[in-house]
Amino acid sequence: MSITQRTTHFFNSEEVEKKWYLVDASGETLGRIASKIASVLRGKHKPVFTRNADCGDFVVVVNAEKVKFTGKRLDQKEYFHYTGYPGGDRFEKARDLLKTHPERILESAIRGMIPKTKLGKKIGMKLKVYAGNEHPHQAQKLQPLKF
C-alpha cells in the first residue's frame, strides 16, 4: 500500500494576475464598504489566496465624500494624529475631516483592516481614494466592482 503525498501550491506575488477595480462609495456605509475593499486588496476573494504573499488587486475608490455614517458617528468619531512634538496631539471630528479631506476617512478605515507589517504597507499602496468622481487611472481599464 503506497501513500501518496499531496502538497498545496503556495502562490507568490509574481504568479498572481492583478486586476484593477473601480468602486463608487456614494451612499455606502463606511465600515461595510471598507471591509469589502480590504478583502479585495488582500486577495481573499481569489482561490489562490496566500496569506504571506501579495495576491490582491488594485482598487480605485471614487466619491469618498459621499460615504455614509450611521448613528451619531459623524459628530462623535474622532481621528487622531500625533505631530511628533511634545503636546502635538491633534484630534479632528469626522464631520470636519469629511469637509476638508474626505479621502482620509476611507483610507484610515481600510488601512486599519489590513496587516500592520511590511506586507500590509505593500498592500495599502494598491489603494487609490479620490473625493470626487474624477481619477487619473483611465489607462488601467478599470472593472466596476459591485458589493
Side-chain angles (χ1 to χ4, degrees), residues 28-145:
E28 299 285 340
T29 306
L30 176 66
R32 292 181 185 272
I33 193 167
S35 64
K36 292 171 185 170
I37 292 171
S39 178
V40 172
L41 283 171
R42 186 90 196 273
K44 288 190 167 189
H45 65 293
K46 294 182 177 183
V48 296
F49 172 68
T50 306
R51 50 180 289 152
N52 61 337
D54 182 14
C55 299
D57 295 321
F58 290 85
V59 178
V60 177
V61 183
V62 294
N63 294 323
E65 79 276 356
K66 296 179 184 174
V67 74
K68 285 192 322 187
F69 286 84
T70 58
K72 298 179 182 178
R73 280 190 182 83
L74 199 57
D75 296 318
Q76 292 179 348
K77 186 169 180 62
E78 285 188 332
Y79 290 90
F80 170 77
H81 173 68
Y82 180 63
T83 62
Y85 289 96
D89 298 350
R90 301 289 182 257
F91 296 94
E92 195 167 6
K93 297 277 186 189
R95 184 178 298 279
D96 301 330
L97 196 60
L98 194 62
K99 290 177 186 172
T100 57
H101 301 287
E103 62 277 352
R104 288 187 192 168
I105 291 176
L106 203 52
E107 284 176 4
S108 172
I110 295 168
R111 286 180 192 259
M113 297 179 184
I114 58 177
K116 281 71 173 173
T117 58
K118 291 179 184 178
L119 178 62
K121 288 188 180 218
K122 191 175 178 184
I123 291 170
M125 290 174 61
K126 295 187 301 181
L127 173 67
K128 316 292 183 192
V129 182
Y130 299 99
N133 204 12
E134 300 297 320
H135 60 85
H137 301 285
Q138 279 82 18
Q140 279 75 26
K141 296 180 178 63
L142 303 173
Q143 300 174 0
L145 186 62

